[in-house]
Amino acid sequence: MAKVKIEVLFPEFCNLFGDSANVRYLQKCIPDGEFVFTKLSEEPKFLTEDMNLVYMGPMTENTQQMVIEKFMPVKEKLMEKIESGMTFLFTGNALEVLGEYIDDGEGNRIEAVGLFPYHAKRDMYHRHNSEELCEMDGMKIMGFKTQFTQCYPNDENFPAAFTIIKGMGMNLETKGEGYRVNNFIGTYLVGPILLNNPNFTEYMLKLIGAGDYKPAFLEASQAAYDKRLKDFMDKVPDKPAKYKYM
């Protein structure tokens, strides 16, 4: 089998909420994989090279603007890669940079890359924190949200990555969570999602052409997942409060 190549975008900035553990876990799952760590000052390798997976994690609001500026000159090439079926996993607020714009809540509109038909609105005086239980193709997937934003797709029938069972979708009014086009998966779930969900990790390994590999530490990871799922089913409220203060 050809060596699996994974590019991690801007890890010196896009690393909030422990989500860099997604990458460390993938390194354990695919010990002979090639992991490329691309700094914000460098040109992303996926634009000119084949990658099995391109990963980008959560970031600060200032970093979002820098990433938008980085992607804007290559937006057509980026969309070409998404349309070709290259796999992307963006977690936390990373998906916002590919939307139409970000409303900063102070009357300013920050133009985003404009690949996908949604926008985000910030409320920097409140941070939303909630536990999330989702479903995708019969899999139950757990995670957490910690964000100043809610996201608003232009169409209520948008291609959500997951369906909310308990928690908040892209905003408080929808059950759709995340955004999926071809093999691009963007989700607000942090936690990190791969380490906490061995079923989703196994799905992703197959999606990126690494199906001969299995989630690392599977027995322990599965036991933790089973216990966490029971706790989520028993204790997580169906609907989160509008805001939970910092």
Side-chain angles (χ1 to χ4, degrees):
M1 186 173 68
K3 180 172 285 191
V4 175
K5 292 183 66 174
I6 295 174
E7 183 170 19
V8 182
L9 294 177
F10 323 137
E12 74 276 30
F13 291 109
C14 303
N15 57 17
L16 300 184
F17 312 123
D19 266 29
S20 56
N22 282 320
V23 177
R24 295 198 299 274
Y25 188 56
L26 283 174
Q27 289 175 310
K28 296 294 184 182
C29 296
I30 315 172
D32 58 351
E34 181 180 346
F35 288 78
V36 179
F37 295 87
T38 301
K39 295 179 181 179
L40 189 59
S41 59
E42 299 173 334
E43 192 73 5
K45 306 297 187 297
F46 75 87
L47 296 172
T48 55
E49 301 178 24
D50 289 333
M51 292 290 168
N52 296 81
L53 173 66
V54 179
Y55 175 81
M56 187 164 71
M59 65 199 80
T60 67
E61 289 71 28
N62 287 339
T63 299
Q64 280 186 310
Q65 293 182 248
M66 292 191 291
V67 172
I68 289 169
E69 292 172 6
K70 185 74 175 182
F71 281 157
M72 195 67 80
V74 297
K75 60 184 293 186
E76 290 81 8
K77 188 66 174 180
L78 172 54
M79 193 61 187
E80 178 185 313
K81 293 295 184 177
I82 292 170
E83 291 176 340
S84 74
M86 185 176 285
T87 303
F88 294 77
L89 178 61
F90 283 20
T91 63
N93 62 359
L95 63 84
E96 294 176 2
V97 304
L98 299 186
E100 294 178 344
Y101 66 92
I102 300 170
D103 180 339
D104 74 352
E106 303 289 339
N108 301 307
R109 171 173 165 144
I110 301 165
E111 296 298 331
V113 179
L115 297 188
F116 299 144
Y118 53 75
H119 69 275
K121 184 172 183 178
R122 294 175 185 162
D123 181 350
M124 297 301 293
Y125 296 102
H126 303 91
R127 181 190 288 279
H128 177 92
N129 295 296
S130 61
E131 301 88 357
E132 308 295 320
L133 177 60
C134 309
E135 187 172 33
M136 181 182 106
D137 296 339
M139 294 185 293
K140 288 186 171 59
I141 298 167
M142 292 168 285
F144 305 91
K145 290 194 173 181
T146 178
Q147 59 201 68
F148 289 112
T149 50
Q150 292 187 45
C151 193
Y152 299 90
N154 292 353
D155 185 346
E156 63 181 14
N157 297 314
F158 68 97
F162 310 126
T163 300
I164 289 289
I165 299 172
K166 294 188 174 190
M168 181 180 80
M170 293 283 265
N171 58 68
L172 284 164
E173 306 303 321
T174 182
K175 288 291 187 181
E177 202 295 311
Y179 205 83
R180 179 165 189 174
V181 175
N182 298 330
N183 292 330
F184 173 91
I185 298 175
T187 175
Y188 276 108
L189 295 189
V190 296
I193 188 173
L194 295 180
L195 187 60
N196 286 336
N197 296 278
N199 53 354
F200 183 63
T201 299
E202 188 167 18
Y203 172 87
M204 288 299 300
L205 291 173
K206 292 177 181 177
L207 187 65
I208 69 175
D212 289 344
Y213 297 90
K214 296 296 179 185
F217 318 116
L218 182 56
E219 184 176 349
S221 180
Q222 187 65 48
Y225 170 89
D226 292 341
K227 185 179 188 308
R228 189 179 300 109
L229 179 59
K230 184 179 186 306
D231 288 344
F232 270 53
M233 294 297 292
D234 292 344
K235 300 175 183 178
V236 173
D238 291 340
K239 294 183 179 180
K242 185 173 182 180
Y243 286 106
K244 295 182 181 179
Y245 288 86
M246 295 174 62

